[in-house]
Structure formats: C-alpha cells, structure tokens
Amino acid sequence: MSTDKKHLTTSWGAPVGDNQNSITAGSRGPTLIQDVHLLEKLAHFNRERVPERVVHAKGAGAHGYFEVTNDLSAYTKASFLSEVGKKTPLFIRFSTVAGELGSADTVRDPRGFAVKFYTEDGNYDLVGNNTPVFFIRDAIKFPDFIHTQKRHPQTHLKNPNAVWDFWSLSPESLHQVTILMSDRGIPATFRHMHGFGSHTFKWVNAQGEAVWVKYHFKTEQGVKNLDVELAAKLAGENPDYHTEDLFNAIEKGDFPSWKLCVQIMPEQDANTYRFDPFDVTKVWSQKDYPLIEVGRMVLNRNPENYFAEVEQATFSPGSFVPGIEASPDKMLQGRLFAYSDAHRYRVGANHNSLPINRPQAEVNNYQRDGAMRADNNGGGSVYYEPNSYDGPQESPQHKTTPFAVTGEAASVAYDHNDHYTQPGDLYRLMSADEQTRLVENIVAAMSPVERVDIKLRQIEHWRKADAELGQRIADGLGL
Ligand code: HDE
C-alpha cells in the first residue's frame, strides 16, 4: 500500500475494500446485513445533526486575538486585561436570533456577538448582541418572548400578531424594538456592526474593590446597514450573505477589528442612578459614564471546519474568570443557568472538553465520566475532595467577592418604569432620513397585525416616547 496516499477506512480504522458497491447476493440479489461498512455509513449519516440552538441557530464564527491597549488593572484583576500589549486568543460567533439554522442572514433581527477569550485563568465568555439593550428585563419572560419570534403552532408561519401583542403588553421592550426597527436592524455585514455585553457586570481589582461595567465593541470598519429592499433581495438570492462576507474577508487578509471600551460606574452610584443600572432595557448615558478604551479585537483566522468549531462552540455568560463577576441584572442571572444547561442538552455534558471550547488554562477538577469523555477522565488521580492525596485545591483568594443583599424574597419587578425617555431620546437623536426610515419600517412591520387594539396599544407606547413619532406611525397605519 503506497505510504503517501491516505487509504479509506471505517471509523474503527479498518481499510475499506469497496466504497461504491454494497455486498449483495449476486449482482442482483438482496443486500447482506453483514456489510458493516454500508451499515455504518447509513447509521452515522442519520446521526450527523445535533439539535440546532433554540435561538441564534444561524451563525458564523472566526478566530482571532485580543490585545490590551490600556491598563485597567486598577479596576479588575482579570489577567487578560492586566498589561498593555498582552494578547489573548479568542473565538467569536456572530448570529441572528429568531431564524432556524438554514434561515437568511439579512433579516431584521438583533445579531449575536459571542466572544470566547481563552485566557490563562480559564475561558471568559462575553455573550452579547449588536445592541446595548434587550427586549425584556426578567429571564422569566424569555421563553414566551421567543415563542412570539418563532412560528405559529398551527400554521407554522411567522406571526406578527404575536410579535406585536407581546411587545405592546411589555412596554419595557420599546427601547430595543426602536433599535430593531431602525437602520441598525439589518447590518450590512457582521464586520460593520458594534457589539455589546449589554448587561452590567462587576469588575473586582486585586484589593477586592468593585465597580460596575458595561462593554462596548466599536467596529473599526464603521457602522454600515443594509437598505431594506437590498436586504430582502439578498435574503432570497444569497441567504448566507453575511456568513460568506466574513469568511471571504478573512480569507483575503482583510481582518475585521473592533475597539473594546467599557463604561465604569462606581459601586455606590448604582443606588442613586436615574435608571436602574441593572435593567438591561436601559443604557447608561455616556455623558455620565464615558467610554474608556480597554483593547482591540482582531479576527484573523477562519474555522477549519464549521461543525467542529462553529456548531459545537458553546458560550456561557457564567464563564467568569477572576476579576469579573455577575451583577444582580435579572436577565443575566437567568442566563447564568440557561446557557450551560442548553449546552449539556445540545452538545453534551463534556462540551467544554471539545477542542473549540477547551480552555488553554489547565483544567483540574473532580468531574468524572459523562457521555463522550474524550480525555483520560482523570486517569488514576484522586477523584474526590477533600482528600489526603495532593489533589487540586481551591484558591480562596479567588472567592466571589462578598456583597450585601437587601429586601424580602418576592416576585417583583424593578421599580424604575420609565420605558419611554430612552427610546424617545433615540428617535430625537436620529437624522430626518433615519426617522423617516424608522417610521416606514415600523408601519411595514405592524401593518399585517390583524387586531386593531394591538396596533392602538403599541402606537400609544410610541406616542409616549415621542408624540411626533406616535403620530407618524398612526398616520402610516391609517389609525
Ligand atoms: Fe441568549 N441564549 N438568552 N441572549 N444568546 C442562547 O444558548 C437566553 C439573551 C445570545 O453563538 C442559548 O447555546 C436566556 C441576551 C447569544 O452560541 C440559550 C435569555 C443576550 C447566543 C439562551 C437570553 C443573548 C445566545 C440558545 C434571557 C445578549 C448565541 C442556545 C435571560 C446580551 C451564542 C444556546 C452562540 C444563545 C438563553 C437573552 C445573546 C437558550 C434564558 C440578553 C449571542 O441558552
């Protein structure tokens, strides 16, 4: 057998004699069940698909690096942010939200912006979107919200009645809906949009002092959006337009980059700020908390294999590293459970040992077994703790920073309920053309809604945000 030419094998490594013809009784006879190569090919083929992500199913990924350009170790002890010039490898996955795995890229939808930093202290996942806020501010509403974004249970069609019924009954959604209906609802490419951590997070420095932060990835390609007609055309002609753009750009060495900045809020300000800083439907004014540069993210390598690196990538907002911790943001709190739970279901209990998810930091723990345990499962090392056999020990200096909690346990909403100032301010910040396109997009999206009471309820929200905006939409809908 020639040494350089690879020979075809079965999954158990045995050479395959014939990959063109099944084993049959004579040239016309029935197929023999002993044709184990045939059986394996057909059976494995039936098992090639893993469940798609229940949201953010359609996406594209790339490898790159993050480089620190501003030392913020006064605020966080996170090692990958500690010294200017420090580089950390990363993987990012961009995505749409509502569509299935085969759906079009150029739809009106937020875009996922999920970054995995392979830091020396473990992986840090910043699982954000291309928008600084979100539609809701309590995780308990998320399954219902996503149901309205998906298909009607009977017709299996998208259902604008559900979409606007939910939004008109959830006024906290108005800010994000305004962003979604604006030009930024359809980015020109994944490269020409900003990214945000959206939530408030906590940074802790080496002295245990905490501040609140919000992350902003500012695209260095400039923000560009797609014209609505062109987006609809592309959705039909090339549903993978954004996926293709990202791959081709990196392939030809046109490496996209973002500047990472943070807003930093002193810990005590959270008790007096005019909006609840943990309410993810609100932004912090950049006048109050200006952007501070942290570093730069550059994407410079395409995946070798889509399924291995993009489909199997698993991100969790709960993958914290020392120096970065949770805030009480109710949406973030819900996500701390949901993501790893989704990964255990979709990819498997040992998803973090897959190459794309495996930390570059050494993993030492007492987790054993579980399906598809691809490493040596801890070998013969001690498999419980505490123990007298020099097993891995905890690092008390990296305990979660203690913080005070107050109030009685209750099912209760945030007590800041001004859902109109920020969307109204956003509208008033827009140019006349942007305002006109916003109104056109809203009218186009709301026109198919059957129930007039839903339309009127939503118009009332727009009117409270800005009287002119509300009037223009009512005129456009003939109400
Ligand atoms: Fe997600 N989200 N999400 N989400 N999300 C998922 O995780 C969830 C939210 C975001 O490229 C799921 O692996 C809950 C906000 C991105 O692999 C799931 C809530 C933001 C991605 C999930 C939210 C996001 C996901 C689906 C309300 C921006 C794709 C499958 C509390 C700040 C990551 C999966 C990737 C994926 C849950 C809201 C962004 C089901 C419960 C807010 C970018 O776990």
Side-chain angles (χ1 to χ4, degrees), residues 186-240:
I186 312 180
T189 76
F190 290 134
R191 299 176 292 130
H192 294 88
M193 62 184 198
H194 293 327
F196 300 86
S198 304
H199 300 292
T200 297
F201 293 91
K202 184 189 286 184
W203 272 6
V204 182
N205 66 14
Q207 291 70 44
E209 296 152 343
V211 290
W212 304 113
V213 295
K214 276 190 185 278
Y215 298 98
H216 301 249
F217 288 90
K218 312 300 274 184
T219 173
E220 295 187 322
Q221 288 68 246
V223 172
K224 276 197 205 124
N225 303 303
L226 269 191
D227 154 80
V228 174
E229 279 72 39
L230 175 58
K233 190 165 173 292
L234 284 168
E237 287 172 7
N238 180 1
D240 306 318

Coordinates of all heavy atoms in Angstrom, one line a residue, residues 186-240:
I186 N -30.7 45.8 10.4 CA -30.2 44.9 9.3 C -28.8 45.4 9.0 O -28.5 46.3 8.1 CB -31.0 45.0 8.0 CG1 -32.5 44.8 8.3 CG2 -30.6 43.9 7.1 CD1 -33.4 44.8 7.1
P187 N -27.8 44.9 9.7 CA -26.4 45.3 9.5 C -25.9 44.9 8.0 O -26.4 43.9 7.5 CB -25.6 44.5 10.5 CG -26.6 43.9 11.5 CD -27.9 43.9 10.8
A188 N -25.0 45.7 7.5 CA -24.5 45.4 6.1 C -23.7 44.1 6.1 O -23.9 43.3 5.2 CB -23.6 46.6 5.7
T189 N -22.9 43.9 7.1 CA -22.2 42.7 7.3 C -22.0 42.5 8.8 O -22.3 43.4 9.6 CB -20.8 42.7 6.7 OG1 -19.9 43.5 7.5 CG2 -20.8 43.3 5.3
F190 N -21.4 41.3 9.2 CA -21.1 41.2 10.6 C -19.9 42.1 11.0 O -19.7 42.4 12.2 CB -20.7 39.7 10.9 CG -21.8 38.7 10.9 CD1 -21.6 37.5 10.2 CD2 -23.0 38.9 11.5 CE1 -22.6 36.6 10.1 CE2 -24.0 38.0 11.4 CZ -23.8 36.8 10.7
R191 N -19.2 42.6 10.0 CA -18.0 43.4 10.3 C -18.3 44.8 10.5 O -17.5 45.6 11.1 CB -17.0 43.3 9.1 CG -16.6 41.8 8.8 CD -15.7 41.8 7.5 NE -16.4 42.1 6.3 CZ -16.0 43.1 5.4 NH1 -14.9 43.7 5.6 NH2 -16.7 43.3 4.3
H192 N -19.5 45.3 10.1 CA -19.9 46.7 10.1 C -20.9 47.0 11.2 O -21.8 47.7 11.0 CB -20.4 47.2 8.8 CG -19.3 47.1 7.7 ND1 -19.0 46.0 6.9 CD2 -18.4 48.1 7.3 CE1 -18.0 46.3 6.1 NE2 -17.6 47.5 6.3
M193 N -20.8 46.2 12.3 CA -21.7 46.5 13.4 C -20.9 46.5 14.7 O -19.9 45.8 14.9 CB -22.8 45.4 13.5 CG -22.3 44.0 13.7 SD -23.6 42.8 13.6 CE -22.8 41.4 14.5
H194 N -21.5 47.2 15.7 CA -20.9 47.2 17.0 C -21.3 45.9 17.8 O -22.3 45.3 17.4 CB -21.3 48.4 17.8 CG -20.9 49.7 17.3 ND1 -19.6 49.9 16.7 CD2 -21.5 51.0 17.4 CE1 -19.5 51.2 16.4 NE2 -20.6 51.9 16.8
G195 N -20.6 45.6 18.9 CA -21.0 44.5 19.8 C -21.1 45.1 21.2 O -20.5 46.1 21.5
F196 N -22.0 44.5 22.0 CA -22.2 44.9 23.4 C -22.3 43.7 24.3 O -22.9 42.7 23.9 CB -23.4 45.8 23.5 CG -23.4 47.0 22.6 CD1 -23.9 46.9 21.3 CD2 -23.0 48.2 23.1 CE1 -23.9 48.0 20.4 CE2 -23.0 49.4 22.3 CZ -23.4 49.3 20.9
G197 N -21.8 43.9 25.5 CA -22.1 42.9 26.5 C -23.5 43.0 27.0 O -24.1 42.1 27.6
S198 N -24.1 44.2 26.8 CA -25.5 44.6 27.1 C -25.7 44.6 28.7 O -26.0 45.7 29.2 CB -26.5 43.6 26.5 OG -26.3 43.5 25.1
H199 N -25.5 43.5 29.3 CA -25.7 43.6 30.8 C -24.7 44.5 31.5 O -23.6 44.7 30.9 CB -25.5 42.2 31.4 CG -26.5 41.2 30.9 ND1 -27.8 41.2 31.1 CD2 -26.2 40.1 30.1 CE1 -28.4 40.2 30.5 NE2 -27.4 39.5 29.9
T200 N -25.0 44.8 32.7 CA -24.0 45.3 33.7 C -23.3 44.1 34.3 O -23.9 43.2 34.7 CB -24.7 46.2 34.8 OG1 -25.3 47.3 34.1 CG2 -23.7 46.7 35.8
F201 N -21.9 44.2 34.3 CA -21.1 43.2 35.0 C -20.4 43.9 36.1 O -20.3 45.1 36.3 CB -20.2 42.5 34.0 CG -20.9 41.7 33.0 CD1 -21.2 42.3 31.8 CD2 -21.2 40.4 33.2 CE1 -21.9 41.5 30.8 CE2 -21.8 39.6 32.2 CZ -22.2 40.2 31.0
K202 N -19.7 43.0 37.0 CA -18.9 43.6 38.1 C -17.5 43.3 37.8 O -17.1 42.1 37.5 CB -19.4 42.9 39.4 CG -18.7 43.5 40.6 CD -18.9 42.6 41.9 CE -20.3 42.8 42.4 NZ -20.5 42.1 43.7
W203 N -16.6 44.3 37.9 CA -15.2 44.1 37.9 C -14.7 44.3 39.3 O -15.2 45.1 40.1 CB -14.5 45.2 37.0 CG -14.4 44.8 35.6 CD1 -15.0 43.7 35.0 CD2 -13.7 45.5 34.6 NE1 -14.7 43.7 33.6 CE2 -13.9 44.8 33.3 CE3 -13.0 46.7 34.5 CZ2 -13.3 45.2 32.1 CZ3 -12.5 47.1 33.3 CH2 -12.6 46.4 32.2
V204 N -13.7 43.4 39.7 CA -13.1 43.5 41.0 C -11.6 43.5 40.9 O -11.0 42.7 40.1 CB -13.5 42.2 41.9 CG1 -12.9 42.3 43.3 CG2 -15.0 42.1 41.9
N205 N -11.0 44.4 41.6 CA -9.5 44.5 41.5 C -8.8 43.7 42.5 O -9.5 43.0 43.3 CB -9.0 46.0 41.5 CG -9.3 46.6 42.9 OD1 -9.5 45.9 43.9 ND2 -9.2 47.9 43.0
A206 N -7.5 43.7 42.5 CA -6.7 42.8 43.4 C -7.0 43.1 44.9 O -6.8 42.3 45.7 CB -5.2 43.0 43.1
Q207 N -7.5 44.4 45.2 CA -7.8 44.7 46.6 C -9.2 44.4 46.9 O -9.7 44.7 48.0 CB -7.5 46.2 46.8 CG -6.1 46.6 46.7 CD -5.5 46.6 45.3 OE1 -6.2 47.0 44.4 NE2 -4.3 46.0 45.2
G208 N -9.9 43.7 46.0 CA -11.3 43.4 46.3 C -12.3 44.5 46.2 O -13.5 44.4 46.6
E209 N -11.9 45.6 45.5 CA -12.8 46.7 45.3 C -13.5 46.5 44.0 O -12.9 46.1 43.0 CB -12.0 48.0 45.2 CG -11.3 48.4 46.5 CD -10.0 49.2 46.3 OE1 -9.5 49.2 45.1 OE2 -9.5 49.8 47.3
A210 N -14.8 46.8 44.0 CA -15.7 46.5 42.9 C -16.2 47.8 42.2 O -16.4 48.8 42.8 CB -16.9 45.7 43.3
V211 N -16.4 47.7 40.9 CA -17.1 48.7 40.1 C -18.1 47.9 39.2 O -17.9 46.7 38.9 CB -16.1 49.6 39.2 CG1 -15.3 50.5 40.1 CG2 -15.3 48.7 38.3
W212 N -19.0 48.7 38.6 CA -19.9 48.1 37.6 C -19.4 48.5 36.3 O -18.9 49.6 36.1 CB -21.4 48.6 37.8 CG -21.9 48.4 39.2 CD1 -22.2 49.4 40.2 CD2 -22.2 47.2 39.8 NE1 -22.6 48.8 41.3 CE2 -22.7 47.4 41.1 CE3 -22.1 45.8 39.4 CZ2 -23.0 46.4 42.0 CZ3 -22.5 44.8 40.3 CH2 -23.0 45.1 41.6
V213 N -19.6 47.6 35.3 CA -19.1 47.9 33.9 C -20.1 47.5 32.9 O -20.9 46.5 33.1 CB -17.8 47.2 33.6 CG1 -16.6 47.7 34.4 CG2 -17.9 45.7 33.6
K214 N -20.0 48.2 31.7 CA -20.8 47.8 30.5 C -19.7 47.8 29.4 O -18.9 48.7 29.3 CB -21.9 48.7 30.2 CG -23.2 48.4 31.0 CD -24.3 49.2 30.5 CE -25.6 49.0 31.3 NZ -26.4 47.8 30.9
Y215 N -19.8 46.7 28.6 CA -18.8 46.5 27.5 C -19.4 47.0 26.1 O -20.5 46.8 25.8 CB -18.5 45.0 27.3 CG -17.8 44.3 28.4 CD1 -18.6 43.5 29.3 CD2 -16.5 44.4 28.7 CE1 -18.0 42.9 30.4 CE2 -15.9 43.7 29.7 CZ -16.7 42.9 30.6 OH -16.1 42.2 31.6
H216 N -18.5 47.7 25.4 CA -18.8 48.2 24.0 C -17.7 47.8 23.1 O -16.5 48.2 23.3 CB -18.9 49.7 24.0 CG -19.9 50.3 25.0 ND1 -21.1 50.9 24.5 CD2 -19.9 50.4 26.3 CE1 -21.8 51.3 25.6 NE2 -21.1 51.0 26.7
F217 N -18.0 47.0 22.0 CA -17.1 46.7 21.0 C -17.4 47.6 19.8 O -18.4 47.5 19.2 CB -17.2 45.2 20.5 CG -16.7 44.2 21.4 CD1 -17.6 43.6 22.4 CD2 -15.4 43.7 21.4 CE1 -17.1 42.6 23.2 CE2 -15.0 42.7 22.2 CZ -15.8 42.2 23.2
K218 N -16.5 48.6 19.5 CA -16.8 49.6 18.5 C -16.1 49.1 17.2 O -14.9 49.0 17.1 CB -16.2 50.9 18.9 CG -16.6 51.4 20.3 CD -18.1 51.5 20.5 CE -18.6 52.9 20.1 NZ -20.1 53.0 20.4
T219 N -16.9 48.8 16.2 CA -16.3 48.3 14.9 C -15.4 49.3 14.3 O -15.7 50.5 14.3 CB -17.4 47.9 13.9 OG1 -16.7 47.6 12.7 CG2 -18.4 49.1 13.6
E220 N -14.2 48.9 13.9 CA -13.3 49.8 13.2 C -13.5 49.8 11.7 O -12.7 50.4 11.0 CB -11.8 49.4 13.6 CG -11.6 49.6 15.1 CD -10.1 49.3 15.5 OE1 -9.5 48.4 15.0 OE2 -9.7 50.1 16.4
Q221 N -14.5 49.1 11.3 CA -14.9 49.1 9.9 C -15.9 50.2 9.6 O -16.3 50.5 8.5 CB -15.5 47.8 9.4 CG -14.5 46.6 9.3 CD -13.9 46.2 10.6 OE1 -12.8 46.4 10.9 NE2 -14.8 45.7 11.5
G222 N -16.4 50.8 10.7 CA -17.5 51.8 10.6 C -18.9 51.1 10.5 O -19.0 49.9 10.0
V223 N -19.9 51.7 11.1 CA -21.2 51.1 11.1 C -21.8 51.3 9.7 O -21.9 52.4 9.2 CB -22.1 51.7 12.2 CG1 -23.6 51.2 12.0 CG2 -21.6 51.4 13.6
K224 N -22.3 50.2 9.1 CA -23.0 50.2 7.8 C -24.2 49.3 7.9 O -24.1 48.2 8.5 CB -22.1 49.8 6.7 CG -21.2 50.8 6.1 CD -20.6 50.4 4.7 CE -19.3 51.1 4.5 NZ -18.2 50.2 4.1
N225 N -25.3 49.7 7.4 CA -26.5 48.9 7.4 C -27.0 48.7 6.0 O -26.6 49.3 5.0 CB -27.6 49.7 8.2 CG -27.1 50.0 9.6 OD1 -26.7 49.1 10.4 ND2 -27.0 51.3 10.0
L226 N -27.9 47.7 5.9 CA -28.4 47.3 4.6 C -29.7 48.0 4.3 O -30.6 48.1 5.1 CB -28.6 45.8 4.5 CG -27.5 44.8 4.0 CD1 -28.1 43.4 3.8 CD2 -26.8 45.3 2.8
D227 N -29.8 48.5 3.1 CA -31.1 49.0 2.6 C -32.2 47.9 2.6 O -31.8 46.7 2.3 CB -30.9 49.6 1.2 CG -32.1 49.6 0.4 OD1 -32.9 50.6 0.6 OD2 -32.4 48.7 -0.4
V228 N -33.4 48.2 3.0 CA -34.4 47.2 3.2 C -34.7 46.4 1.9 O -34.7 45.1 2.0 CB -35.7 47.9 3.7 CG1 -36.9 46.9 3.7 CG2 -35.5 48.6 5.0
E229 N -34.8 47.0 0.8 CA -35.0 46.3 -0.5 C -33.9 45.3 -0.8 O -34.1 44.2 -1.1 CB -35.2 47.3 -1.6 CG -36.6 47.9 -1.7 CD -36.9 48.9 -0.6 OE1 -35.9 49.7 -0.3 OE2 -38.0 48.9 -0.1
L230 N -32.7 45.9 -0.6 CA -31.5 45.0 -0.9 C -31.4 43.8 0.0 O -31.2 42.7 -0.4 CB -30.2 45.8 -0.8 CG -28.9 45.1 -1.0 CD1 -28.8 44.3 -2.4 CD2 -27.7 46.0 -0.8
A231 N -31.8 44.1 1.3 CA -31.7 43.0 2.3 C -32.7 41.9 1.9 O -32.4 40.7 2.0 CB -32.1 43.6 3.7
A232 N -33.9 42.3 1.4 CA -34.9 41.3 1.1 C -34.5 40.5 -0.2 O -34.6 39.3 -0.2 CB -36.3 42.0 0.8
K233 N -33.8 41.2 -1.1 CA -33.3 40.6 -2.3 C -32.2 39.5 -1.9 O -32.3 38.4 -2.4 CB -32.8 41.7 -3.2 CG -32.4 41.2 -4.6 CD -32.2 42.5 -5.5 CE -31.7 42.2 -6.9 NZ -30.3 41.7 -6.9
L234 N -31.3 40.0 -1.1 CA -30.2 39.1 -0.7 C -30.8 37.9 0.1 O -30.3 36.8 0.0 CB -29.2 39.9 0.2 CG -28.3 40.8 -0.6 CD1 -27.5 41.7 0.4 CD2 -27.3 40.0 -1.4
A235 N -31.8 38.1 0.9 CA -32.4 37.0 1.7 C -32.8 35.9 0.8 O -32.8 34.7 1.1 CB -33.5 37.5 2.6
G236 N -33.3 36.3 -0.4 CA -33.7 35.3 -1.4 C -32.6 34.8 -2.2 O -32.4 33.6 -2.3
E237 N -31.7 35.7 -2.7 CA -30.7 35.2 -3.6 C -29.5 34.6 -2.9 O -28.9 33.7 -3.4 CB -30.2 36.4 -4.4 CG -31.2 36.9 -5.5 CD -30.7 38.2 -6.1 OE1 -29.6 38.7 -5.8 OE2 -31.5 38.8 -6.9
N238 N -29.1 35.1 -1.7 CA -28.0 34.6 -1.0 C -28.2 34.6 0.5 O -27.7 35.6 1.1 CB -26.7 35.3 -1.4 CG -25.5 34.7 -0.7 OD1 -25.6 33.8 0.1 ND2 -24.3 35.3 -0.9
P239 N -28.9 33.7 1.0 CA -29.3 33.7 2.4 C -28.1 33.6 3.3 O -28.2 33.9 4.5 CB -30.2 32.4 2.6 CG -30.1 31.6 1.4 CD -29.5 32.5 0.3
D240 N -26.9 33.3 2.8 CA -25.7 33.2 3.6 C -24.8 34.4 3.4 O -23.5 34.3 3.5 CB -25.0 31.9 3.4 CG -25.9 30.7 3.5 OD1 -26.7 30.7 4.5 OD2 -26.0 29.8 2.6

